[in-house]
């Protein structure tokens, strides 16, 4: 058993009695804990001055007492927490940051590969009746349900073999988002207590995402569905439950039956790339936006997405694209699910080429770009190495002022211009 005593103890300090009072006051009617981040920060700050856990097992004993106070049965606590180990590998993965910010075209090459398309078509054929039943029930197309299955776990071939309980306990003790992991661990215990899955069978990723379509425990509680009628919600071994749960999630996220996720478009010469507002299809059409093939869908509220800047493909995306983003809030992910679903259904893929000649930025490059934007007066906040909305807006403003196309797409050339300007 691996115990972390020194480095972890100094980082993982908590006054658990204070924590219990704070969390108890914040519990919602559903039983899921929603902590106020500011309050939790104050609790942790006070805790750090009073009690320091010597090791993981001491923390686990206190958490077990807390979970019992939240209504988890003694039998479940014995089955779920006896023998739970600290997993050093989980902390290594939690702290890992890849050197390069992967270009979207490289991500899509893997996520929507010919093998994954073929396998997806085979999976849809194997489970067509189930997928179509869920489509009728929730309004989510069968190919989208299968596409999420493919992106999340390669159709069940790789949904992880980490113990969800050990992963979440390790992250709650020593991870970057300890309060979040603590709440997810409690949710995992409730799932076991309700009889949906045995503790030893609760497997998933190092981060606590579980089963074929990678639900975290709180999402399982909110969206998982018994699709096969056996009285349990089993996203590990029941494909009907997997498909029903995935479709229910998207339905609850705002999926609009009968609407496409979006469409690839051609933008007119002189298009204002700085626009970030949603508009109706009619308004975009009046600006000269045209579908690559056919007509624009009739969206009441849609955005133009240009994930690789003005030199790459452009898309008009509606409510269903936003529903996919609720599953994973990354444009590359949503586009992968959408285009894999199209390919599984036999529809054509992206027509416009990607700017593959652009060298990717490293995270250090992005941090340098953020610092440079701040120095020359385009405030983007902290230099975290992530191309978030504030960084893209600051970059668009810089591009516009330099007479460039304000597409917010970071390149090595733009970084060099900023280096020169900020010296």
């Amino acid at each position: 058993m691996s115990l972390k005593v020194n480095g972890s103890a100094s980082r993982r300090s908590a006054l658990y009695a204070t924590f219990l009072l704070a969390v108890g006051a914040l519990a919602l009617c559903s039983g899921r804990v929603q902590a106020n981040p500011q309050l939790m920060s104050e609790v942790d700050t006070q805790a750090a001055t009073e009690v320091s856990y010597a090791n993981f097992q001491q923390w686990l004993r206190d958490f077990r007492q807390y979970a019992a106070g939240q209504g988890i049965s003694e039998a479940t606590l014995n089955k779920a927490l006896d023998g739970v180990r600290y997993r050093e590998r989980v902390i290594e993965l939690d702290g890992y940051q890849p050197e390069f910010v992967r270009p979207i075209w490289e991500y899509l090459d893997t996520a929507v590969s010919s093998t994954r398309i073929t396998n997806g078509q085979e999976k849809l054929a194997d489970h067509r009746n189930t997928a179509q039943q869920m489509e009728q029930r929730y309004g989510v197309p069968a190919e989208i349900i299968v596409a999420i299955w493919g992106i999340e776990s390669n159709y069940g071939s790789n949904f992880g073999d980490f113990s969800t309980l050990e992963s979440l306990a390790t992250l709650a003790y020593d991870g970057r988002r300890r309060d979040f992991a603590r709440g997810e661990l409690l949710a995992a215990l409730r799932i076991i207590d309700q009889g949906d899955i045995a503790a030893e069978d609760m497997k998933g990723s190092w981060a606590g995402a579980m089963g074929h379509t990678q639900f975290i425990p709180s999402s399982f509680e909110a969206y998982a569905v018994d699709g096969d009628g056996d009285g349990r919600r089993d996203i590990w071994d029941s494909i009907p439950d997997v498909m029903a749960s995935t479709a229910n999630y998207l339905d609850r996220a705002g999926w609009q039956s009968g609407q496409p996720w979006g469409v690839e478009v051609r933008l007119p010469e002189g298009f204002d790339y700085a626009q970030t507002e949603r508009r109706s299809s009619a308004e975009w059409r009046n600006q000269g936006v045209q579908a690559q093939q056919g007509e624009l869908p009739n969206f009441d509220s849609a955005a133009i997405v240009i994930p690789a800047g003005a030199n790459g493909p452009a898309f008009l995306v509606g409510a269903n694209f936003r529903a996919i983003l609720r599953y994973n809030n990354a444009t590359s992910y949503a586009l992968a699910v959408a285009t894999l679903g199209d390919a599984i259904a036999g529809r054509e893929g992206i027509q416009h080429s990607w700017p593959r000649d652009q060298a990717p930025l490293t995270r250090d490059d992005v941090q340098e770009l953020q610092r440079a934007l701040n120095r020359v007066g385009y405030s983007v906040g902290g230099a975290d190495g992530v191309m978030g909305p504030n960084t893209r807006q600051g970059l668009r403003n810089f591009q516009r002022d330099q007479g460039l196309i304000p597409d917010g797409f970071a390149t090595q050339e733009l970084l060099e211009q900023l280096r020169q300007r900020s010296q």
Side-chain angles (χ1 to χ4, degrees):
M1 182 174 295
S2 174
L3 302 181
K4 194 153 181 177
V5 177
N6 297 321
S8 292
S10 64
R11 289 201 296 132
R12 181 62 186 97
S13 299
L15 179 62
Y16 222 81
T18 306
F19 164 71
L20 299 185
L21 291 173
V23 173
L26 292 164
L28 298 181
C29 295
S30 64
R32 180 181 176 188
V33 172
Q34 296 285 347
N36 179 300
Q38 182 178 357
L39 177 58
M40 292 309 302
S41 176
E42 293 170 355
V43 170
D44 285 345
T45 298
Q46 180 184 358
T49 64
E50 301 190 38
V51 174
S52 177
Y53 286 106
N55 55 48
F56 174 71
Q57 290 301 319
Q58 185 186 72
W59 175 89
L60 189 61
R61 284 194 296 272
D62 275 1
F63 177 82
R64 180 174 179 146
Q65 181 180 357
Y66 163 63
Q70 294 296 303
I72 305 300
S73 70
E74 188 66 22
T76 291
L77 291 173
N78 290 338
K79 292 176 184 176
L81 298 183
D82 284 358
V84 163
R85 301 167 298 163
Y86 176 90
R87 297 294 300 273
E88 183 72 40
R89 179 59 176 159
V90 169
I91 297 304
E92 291 173 0
L93 292 168
D94 187 44
Y96 172 73
Q97 288 189 334
E99 179 184 0
F100 286 93
V101 179
R102 192 179 185 190
I104 187 170
W105 51 89
E106 290 186 5
Y107 173 75
L108 292 176
D109 287 346
T110 301
V112 195
S113 66
S114 59
T115 299
R116 185 162 286 171
I117 294 167
T118 300
N119 290 343
Q121 291 170 336
E122 292 174 354
K123 290 295 184 182
L124 180 54
D126 291 343
H127 302 281
R128 187 173 301 278
N129 288 340
T130 298
Q132 289 178 341
Q133 287 174 11
M134 302 315 163
E135 180 174 347
Q136 292 170 3
R137 183 182 304 174
Y138 298 103
V140 180
E143 64 269 19
I144 291 292
I145 298 171
V146 173
I148 286 188
W149 186 15
I151 298 296
E152 290 291 347
S153 70
N154 200 16
Y155 310 109
S157 67
N158 185 27
F159 59 67
D161 60 359
F162 283 86
S163 160
T164 299
L165 296 165
E166 289 190 340
S167 291
L168 291 173
T170 298
L171 292 169
Y173 170 68
D174 199 26
R176 291 178 297 113
R177 302 171 63 198
R178 294 191 288 272
D179 296 329
F180 172 79
R182 197 158 41 215
E184 293 299 318
L185 179 57
L186 185 63
L189 292 175
R190 286 196 295 265
I191 293 165
I192 295 167
D193 210 31
Q194 291 162 6
D196 285 305
I197 189 74
E200 62 271 18
D201 295 329
M202 185 178 269
K203 303 285 186 180
S205 75
W206 66 266
M210 311 180 300
H212 284 263
T213 49
Q214 296 289 277
F215 279 27
I216 60 174
S218 59
S219 292
F220 181 100
E221 288 191 302
Y223 305 112
V225 174
D226 174 16
D228 57 17
D230 69 351
R232 297 168 55 241
R233 299 173 295 172
D234 183 357
I235 60 172
W236 295 267
D237 292 314
S238 169
I239 298 305
D241 288 10
V242 170
M243 290 187 168
S245 300
T246 304
N248 182 50
Y249 191 112
L250 291 175
D251 178 40
R252 299 272 296 278
W255 189 276
Q256 295 185 1
S257 179
Q259 287 273 19
W261 62 268
V263 64
E264 188 179 358
V265 294
R266 295 191 302 274
L267 303 179
E269 186 176 351
F271 180 77
D272 180 8
Y273 286 86
Q275 296 179 88
T276 58
E277 302 87 355
R278 297 177 194 166
R279 307 181 191 278
S280 70
S281 293
E283 290 174 294
W284 289 118
R285 192 179 295 112
N286 288 338
Q287 290 194 30
V289 175
Q290 299 178 347
Q292 280 282 3
Q293 296 180 333
E295 299 294 327
L296 293 183
N298 289 319
F299 291 141
D300 293 331
S301 176
I304 298 292
V305 173
I306 46 168
N311 292 323
F315 307 91
L316 180 71
V317 300
N320 292 344
F321 192 84
R322 296 193 292 274
I324 300 172
L325 286 172
R326 285 279 301 278
Y327 210 100
N328 184 324
N329 191 26
T331 297
S332 56
Y333 174 87
L335 194 58
V337 168
T339 55
L340 179 57
D342 283 345
I344 289 171
R347 295 187 286 270
E348 288 195 65
I350 297 169
Q351 302 298 302
H352 196 289
S353 60
W354 295 99
R356 293 177 180 271
D357 59 332
Q358 291 287 348
L361 272 64
T362 66
R363 289 193 177 273
D364 286 345
D365 288 338
V366 175
Q367 287 179 313
E368 183 182 358
L369 180 141
Q370 291 168 323
R371 288 191 291 266
L373 284 169
N374 284 331
R375 283 197 298 270
V376 298
Y378 300 92
S379 178
V380 300
D384 60 2
V386 177
M387 285 296 302
N390 289 340
T391 302
R392 293 191 187 281
Q393 185 58 53
L395 188 57
R396 278 193 291 266
N397 292 340
F398 172 77
Q399 290 172 310
R400 183 195 60 227
D401 292 345
Q402 298 301 306
L404 304 171
I405 295 175
D407 60 9
F409 182 59
T411 64
Q412 292 289 350
E413 291 79 6
L414 276 172
L415 177 57
E416 183 57 34
Q417 288 189 39
L418 278 163
R419 284 186 182 124
Q420 295 175 7
R421 283 289 308 279
S422 62
Q423 286 177 351

